Amino acid sequence: SWSEIAEGDFYLVNAATGKYLGTLKAGWGTQTALTEHGIPFTATISDGKYTLNSHTYNSKDNHFLNNGWVDGASTSYTITSLGNGKYSIAAGEASFLTATATTDNAIVNNSAPTANSVLAQWYFVSKDDLEAMLASATNASPVDATFYIGDPDFSRNHIIMLMQNGKNTDNPGKDY
């Protein structure tokens, strides 16, 4: 079973496809899409609303999931349990986070009008969940361990890459 949503670090997995919420290389590495290896988000809650920090910096205030991008301003989401570990993520009325198709690199944005769309249902998967899956891996049933790599896509503005390359995260264009 997957994690219950709370504050903390999670990967988002689309319930219909089993694919992770990640980013497109063609979208400067900041446009959201369904991918084989997702990016971790840090969920925080305030007044019953969540923000999802992607750690992909456009500036000191723009590093959040925001309608199809991971380098936007902080956006408040309502995250609702749909049962069986599935959640809907809504930025407002008729504005649910959804995949636009079931294929690899399908764009993800806030275009679903209702949480009933199967492509608008998500699992929140913690590192502990992934490690539990890894513990049960066998040669016949391998498990991907890419989640151990801080930034497997080497994204140009991911906080880990910025810090490794001596960049100031308050101003990514400026060196330390």
Side-chain angles (χ1 to χ4, degrees):
S1 73
W2 301 114
S3 291
E4 293 294 318
I5 181 63
E7 290 193 328
D9 296 326
F10 298 94
Y11 291 83
L12 279 75
V13 175
N14 185 268
T17 66
K19 299 206 178 294
Y20 288 85
L21 180 60
T23 58
L24 286 176
K25 304 303 166 271
W28 289 87
T30 61
Q31 186 174 19
T32 53
L34 294 179
T35 62
E36 287 298 315
H37 312 289
I39 60 173
F41 290 89
T42 300
T44 57
I45 188 167
S46 177
D47 296 326
K49 301 279 186 175
Y50 289 85
T51 57
L52 297 168
N53 183 346
S54 69
H55 310 286
T56 302
Y57 280 65
N58 187 354
S59 70
K60 72 176 191 168
D61 296 325
N62 294 325
H63 48 92
F64 294 92
L65 179 63
N66 183 325
N67 193 24
W69 301 91
V70 294
D71 63 345
S74 178
T75 300
S76 294
Y77 287 98
T78 301
I79 299 176
T80 305
S81 175
L82 303 172
N84 297 319
K86 297 177 189 176
Y87 292 87
S88 67
I89 304 169
E93 293 294 320
S95 184
F96 290 85
L97 186 69
T98 189
T100 56
T102 58
T103 57
D104 283 349
N105 296 318
I107 300 297
V108 175
N109 57 31
N110 295 344
S111 63
T114 162
N116 293 332
S117 167
V118 294
L119 292 175
Q121 298 175 9
W122 300 89
Y123 296 112
F124 282 78
V125 181
S126 70
K127 187 174 180 182
D128 287 345
D129 295 330
L130 295 171
E131 287 177 335
M133 289 172 42
L134 192 59
S136 64
T138 65
N139 286 341
S141 182
V143 174
D144 189 307
T146 306
F147 65 93
Y148 280 123
I149 301 171
D151 181 25
D153 295 328
F154 300 100
S155 302
R156 66 182 180 86
N157 281 346
H158 193 280
I159 185 66
I160 291 170
M161 289 302 292
L162 292 172
M163 290 172 62
Q164 288 174 348
N165 291 314
K167 298 292 181 182
N168 180 332
T169 57
D170 287 337
N171 182 356
K174 182 180 178 189
D175 292 338
Y176 281 113

